[in-house]
Amino acid sequence: MKFKLRPYQIEAIHFLRKAGNKAILCLPTGSGKTVTFSHLAESAINKGSMVHVVCHRKELIDQAYNTMKAYGLPMHRIKFGMVQTYNRSPHKIPKADLTIIDECHIGNFRRFCDQVEGQTFIVGATATPLSASKKNPLNDTFKNVVEPVQIPELIEQGYLSQPTYHIAGLDLSDLELTSTGEYSEASQNKAFSDLFSMDTLRRSLDQIGDNKAIIFTPSIEIAEAVYNEYTNVPGYYLAHSKMSKQERDLNINAFKHDEKGKIINCSILTAGFDDPDISHVILYRATTSEPLYLQMVGRGSRVTPVKKHFHVWDLGQNYKRFTAWHTVRDWKKKFENQGKKLKLGEAPFKTCVNCEALISASARTCDICLQDQPKPKPKEQQTAQGFTVIEYGQSIPDHLKKPWHQMSVKELLERATYGSSKTGRPYKMGWVLHQIKERPHWQKDLYELARLKNYKKGWIQRQLEK
């Protein structure tokens, strides 16, 4: 039985046809990418074409197969395959007129696309058209992005749930980056295994109560540590890559059938996992990947007859890094700009405590007045954290509901991340600068802004010249 397409899905099909070969269908998690490309496949089949669907995980193949079969398509005209198989054995790639690549932002599709160049018409599909690799951006493989709708529109139309954010203030300043730009597993293990982080997680789980939840962790070690805390509590399940497939599938299936279940996982239940009844998402990890952040939060965004809202418990400062899941994002612009080199600045600086000259951040003595500089203050002992609650459509915390001229520079920066309460779009740095330069002592605030953002001497000089 064919599904009735929603207006934005019809629009997506229209623009995909105009976009040409190697265009990406960009639709948020839960908005019906598979249904949309099922209609695209039907149009191709009706013209006598063969269709090929390529995925990187078996769960995605199963999801695509079941949806396209339910859509009423002649399944003998559609081939399904794993990209890993084709990269190892190119001779197994079937001939097709239309190839649909699900979750096309995954890096190993690049080689596959090179192998079938000129042999098939390619359409990609993803909620986040950004490659994890800055050296190999997605725009090297695909040519265009079609984004017919944004998350706030889907929420207002009743197609996605309204989020409420619970943000913990854990100190994660010791997290270290790897050469790939992601936080290292070792530093995350240290941050999320200490007493205060675990206590904050317990508080979030206590508040969730009997509601269904999914918990994302940075490593198998942390996933098992959290699970061991709740081994004797009914309704807790574990899923990670070192478990046998049989045990993992058994746990996932049990979780799906448990209306009060909690599943703890590491890198398993992101793309391709669908359980509409999840009403709470716990991010017990930090990430520098915007696509991963959106994929994780999106696990709770689907609507059901009894679920119109969901909750995000962010213990990894991800909201601060990427703003709200429902923020309006210009994916086409992000796609086009990915891979462009950024100019490198000068070394970080600080202000001399005596003469206020700009000196190197690592300097023990001022080069100008020879004044010794104080040593950095030791970290204060952390305590278990409460949560800042941000409701959808009313996303400004109480401490930021005051005139802008009364805000500190730090508060202005925080206010900028919340941006517009209607769209979730954050304010840019120009907005912060405008507020600062309206003040009588704006130069002092400019230096404070540079210190907080770790901007360089050259940046300060350019602002002063302006």
Side-chain angles (χ1 to χ4, degrees):
M1 184 181 78
K2 292 182 175 60
F3 306 119
K4 183 179 179 181
L5 293 184
R6 299 166 181 171
Y8 65 85
Q9 293 172 328
I10 296 172
E11 185 179 7
I13 294 292
H14 171 72
F15 284 115
L16 276 173
R17 287 171 175 157
K18 292 180 64 176
N21 190 26
K22 292 189 176 179
I24 294 175
L25 168 64
C26 178
L27 284 174
T29 299
S31 60
K33 290 192 302 294
T34 313
V35 169
T36 305
F37 67 63
S38 293
H39 182 84
L40 198 67
E42 180 187 42
S43 298
I45 291 170
N46 288 343
K47 296 176 183 177
S49 299
M50 289 295 295
V51 175
H52 186 200
V53 179
V54 187
C55 305
H56 75 293
R57 289 179 56 185
K58 184 179 181 299
E59 293 86 351
L60 290 171
I61 287 182
D62 293 342
Q63 184 183 71
Y65 181 91
N66 292 333
T67 301
M68 297 176 100
K69 184 177 181 181
Y71 196 81
L73 300 183
M75 302 308 289
H76 65 283
R77 303 291 299 276
I78 309 172
K79 302 294 183 182
F80 297 84
M82 297 277 284
V83 66
Q84 295 91 330
T85 300
Y86 298 143
N87 286 344
R88 289 193 304 266
S89 308
H91 63 280
K92 293 184 178 180
I93 300 175
K95 291 183 178 180
D97 304 287
L98 170 65
T99 297
I100 298 168
I101 300 177
D102 199 7
E103 302 297 340
C104 66
H105 63 280
I106 302 298
N108 52 8
F109 286 116
R110 186 176 299 106
R111 183 178 172 188
F112 169 80
C113 289
D114 290 341
Q115 291 169 338
V116 298
E117 180 74 37
Q119 301 174 29
T120 182
F121 189 92
I122 296 175
V123 172
T126 179
T128 53
L130 293 178
S131 168
S133 171
K134 294 180 181 178
K135 293 183 179 179
N136 298 294
L138 200 61
N139 55 29
D140 279 354
T141 303
F142 290 87
K143 306 304 179 187
N144 205 346
V145 169
V146 170
E147 48 171 347
V149 71
Q150 291 278 349
I151 290 175
E153 298 171 73
L154 294 168
I155 293 174
E156 297 305 321
Q157 294 168 20
Y159 296 128
L160 292 179
S161 296
Q162 289 188 8
T164 296
Y165 306 92
H166 307 260
I167 303 167
L170 292 175
D171 181 4
L172 303 178
S173 58
D174 287 338
L175 291 183
E176 299 173 351
L177 294 172
T178 66
S179 58
T180 63
E182 182 59 283
Y183 293 120
S184 70
E185 184 175 306
S187 65
Q188 291 216 59
N189 284 349
K190 183 178 179 181
F192 291 102
S193 62
D194 68 33
L195 174 65
F196 310 111
S197 297
M198 290 295 288
D199 193 31
T200 305
L201 175 62
R202 291 188 199 101
R203 291 186 180 201
S204 65
L205 287 167
D206 287 345
Q207 292 184 57
I208 288 171
D210 289 337
N211 292 296
K212 195 163 193 175
I214 184 169
I215 301 123
F216 292 95
T217 65
S219 68
I220 293 173
E221 179 181 328
I222 297 297
E224 291 182 334
V226 173
Y227 180 69
N228 290 337
E229 285 274 319
Y230 294 90
T231 302
N232 298 322
V233 181
Y236 278 79
Y237 307 92
L238 180 66
H240 60 68
S241 60
K242 288 191 177 180
M243 301 170 69
S244 69
K245 184 179 183 303
Q246 182 180 7
E247 182 183 9
R248 187 170 65 243
D249 289 350
L250 188 66
N251 286 354
I252 292 172
N253 188 57
F255 167 71
K256 283 189 171 184
H257 289 85
D258 188 342
E259 62 182 15
K260 301 178 182 178
K262 316 283 189 296
I263 190 161
I264 304 151
N265 85 104
C266 171
S267 303
I268 293 292
L269 306 179
T270 50
F273 177 71
D274 181 16
D275 186 342
D277 294 325
I278 292 172
S279 59
H280 292 259
V281 177
I282 300 180
L283 307 182
Y284 195 56
R285 62 160 298 162
T287 182
T288 62
S289 168
E290 186 174 27
L292 177 58
Y293 166 67
L294 298 175
Q295 291 278 9
M296 290 189 294
V297 175
R299 296 309 107 194
S301 66
R302 296 180 187 272
V303 294
T304 71
V306 296
K307 181 195 135 194
K308 307 300 179 187
H309 301 80
F310 75 107
H311 297 259
V312 182
W313 299 80
D314 183 9
L315 280 65
Q317 296 186 5
N318 301 289
Y319 188 107
K320 181 179 178 181
R321 230 167 276 122
F322 305 113
T323 72
W325 162 79
H326 68 272
T327 295
V328 173
R329 289 170 167 84
D330 189 342
W331 286 115
K332 188 176 180 66
K333 185 175 181 180
K334 285 175 177 281
F335 169 80
E336 292 170 350
N337 289 336
Q338 189 183 17
K340 291 184 179 179
K341 292 184 178 180
L342 301 177
K343 293 183 179 178
L344 298 177
E346 302 171 41
F349 75 95
K350 63 184 176 183
T351 305
C352 172
V353 294
N354 181 47
C355 69
E356 297 189 351
L358 294 180
I359 58 177
S360 168
S362 60
R364 299 288 181 87
T365 304
C366 176
D367 297 332
I368 307 300
C369 68
L370 303 182
Q371 172 71 41
D372 290 339
Q373 303 300 303
K375 294 181 179 179
K377 293 181 180 179
K379 280 189 177 182
E380 296 180 2
Q381 189 178 41
Q382 219 178 349
T383 57
Q385 297 292 316
F387 293 87
T388 299
V389 180
I390 302 172
E391 299 279 355
Y392 174 78
Q394 191 179 6
S395 58
I396 312 301
D398 287 341
H399 72 282
L400 296 179
K401 292 177 181 177
K402 58 185 177 182
W404 293 327
H405 69 274
Q406 294 180 6
M407 292 183 184
S408 67
V409 176
K410 187 175 182 180
E411 287 173 335
L412 279 174
L413 285 171
E414 185 180 359
R415 178 63 184 83
T417 65
Y418 296 116
S420 167
S421 60
K422 292 183 179 180
T423 67
R425 187 189 295 275
Y427 296 135
K428 296 182 179 180
M429 188 53 62
W431 177 86
V432 178
L433 282 169
H434 175 74
Q435 308 309 323
I436 286 174
K437 290 180 179 179
E438 293 293 314
R439 303 179 178 196
H441 306 290
W442 65 271
Q443 290 181 329
K444 180 180 178 181
D445 285 347
L446 185 68
Y447 278 86
E448 175 65 8
L449 173 62
R451 185 188 68 80
L452 290 171
K453 296 296 291 182
N454 201 27
Y455 288 158
K456 317 301 186 274
K457 296 179 184 179
W459 181 87
I460 291 181
Q461 188 59 40
R462 286 194 295 274
Q463 302 310 314
L464 293 172
E465 289 171 356
K466 289 179 182 179

